[in-house]
Amino acid sequence: MVKAEAVHKSFGRLEVLRGIDLEVSPKEVMCMIGPSGSGKSTFLRCINHLEKIDAGRLSVDGELVGYRQRGDKLYELGDAEVCQKRSEIGMVFQRFNLFPHMTALDNVTEAPIRVKGESRAGAVERGRKLLERVGLAEKVDAYPNQLSGGQQQRVAIARALAMQPKLMLFDEPTSALDPELVGEVLDVMRGLAEDGMTMVVVTHEMGFAREVGDSLVFMDGGVVVEAGKPRDVLSNPQHERTRSFLSKVL
């Protein structure tokens, strides 16, 4: 579903990604861990072309991200095509980014109606089902400021699912939440994994990575230091840098 080959990304002189090689299979849950500034979130943003890569190749479901190849040359896609491709990839951010002037239901139905041209009736029906799925059936008419952080994040997940994505990206979805609200968001993500959603999750929740992840990637300094089965990496890391990091967070 996702294939990265020697992906590089710099911001000015700062090289944030230094040759990332990764593959995510359909229905796989890949968890990414590592210290702040290691490139995890930047890599996630490259997958849906919120950031353009500087070198290498990145593809989703067999198609290059942000580019089309003709012969041996790459041509950047226009904004409309990029947006169309991006609509197939759901992304949930650290901050919930809900529209404050819209109800939970309106937040969930806005993109399917405006971007995909769905009928309002169809979008509302599916939006209600999605809010029920994330445990918020009774909050359809609530505004973001009437919801807890955990509830807002669950609305954000429902909003991403409303576009019927083939891939879900989570950028530290629980790090802005109070500790007692983390579980309700992780439960929703656990349910998505059980339903077979392909997911790439940047997280500090090691328990979730161990229980739900199919693979675990440790990044540091813009490179993949270690990757493998979550239980193997967490219980028996092979690299000193991984051991040092895990000793501080486990």
Side-chain angles (χ1 to χ4, degrees):
M1 182 61 77
V2 180
K3 186 173 184 178
E5 303 170 88
V7 169
H8 287 256
K9 173 66 183 176
S10 296
F11 296 104
R13 293 183 179 181
L14 179 63
E15 194 173 16
V16 180
L17 300 177
R18 299 189 294 139
I20 301 294
D21 292 292
L22 283 177
E23 286 191 24
V24 184
S25 301
K27 299 188 177 182
E28 178 179 346
V29 178
M30 175 181 281
C31 293
M32 306 186 79
I33 63 173
S36 295
S38 58
K40 310 180 300 295
S41 295
T42 297
F43 178 68
L44 220 58
R45 292 170 67 85
C46 288
I47 293 176
N48 68 357
H49 209 56
L50 285 174
E51 301 288 354
K52 299 177 185 178
I53 65 174
D54 298 324
R57 297 168 71 87
L58 188 54
S59 57
V60 172
D61 201 18
E63 296 186 4
L64 287 172
V65 173
Y67 298 89
R68 178 179 291 110
Q69 184 161 359
R70 291 201 196 105
D72 53 5
K73 282 193 173 182
L74 292 181
Y75 297 88
E76 190 167 358
L77 299 178
D79 288 346
E81 282 183 283
V82 168
C83 288
Q84 193 276 320
K85 296 292 184 191
R86 192 178 289 143
S87 71
E88 300 171 353
I89 303 171
M91 187 156 184
V92 178
F93 298 88
Q94 223 171 336
R95 298 285 170 185
F96 326 119
N97 295 343
L98 299 178
F99 296 117
H101 62 291
M102 292 185 180
T103 64
L105 183 60
D106 288 339
N107 265 283
V108 172
T109 58
E110 178 76 358
I113 293 169
R114 284 187 178 251
V115 178
K116 296 183 95 173
E118 290 185 18
S119 70
R120 179 167 293 278
V124 165
E125 182 183 357
R126 198 147 45 78
R128 288 182 180 276
K129 287 179 180 174
L130 286 169
L131 287 169
E132 182 179 355
R133 181 178 179 182
V134 300
L136 293 173
E138 77 289 357
K139 298 292 187 182
V140 291
D141 295 322
Y143 288 88
N145 66 1
Q146 298 170 314
L147 300 172
S148 70
Q151 289 171 333
Q152 289 186 62
Q153 193 62 295
R154 285 186 279 155
V155 173
I157 293 172
R159 177 180 61 182
L161 292 174
M163 295 295 282
Q164 299 175 289
K166 58 179 75 169
L167 169 67
M168 285 284 284
L169 308 175
F170 292 88
D171 189 8
E172 298 187 23
T174 59
S175 65
L177 301 178
D178 291 333
E180 67 267 25
L181 302 177
V182 168
E184 61 192 46
V185 174
L186 294 181
D187 285 343
V188 171
M189 294 169 64
R190 195 174 280 112
L192 290 179
E194 289 168 359
D195 292 343
M197 175 62 76
T198 309
M199 296 158 61
V200 183
V201 184
V202 172
T203 186
H204 295 298
E205 301 294 335
M206 301 301 163
F208 176 85
R210 181 186 283 111
E211 293 167 37
V212 182
D214 298 302
S215 58
L216 182 66
V217 171
F218 172 64
M219 282 182 65
D220 189 32
V223 299
V224 174
V225 176
E226 188 164 349
K229 295 287 184 187
R231 289 176 188 273
D232 295 342
V233 175
L234 292 174
S235 61
N236 187 27
Q238 300 300 300
H239 292 261
E240 178 55 40
R241 183 65 189 95
T242 317
R243 284 194 289 272
S244 171
F245 174 78
L246 292 175
S247 71
K248 295 179 177 67
V249 298
L250 287 180

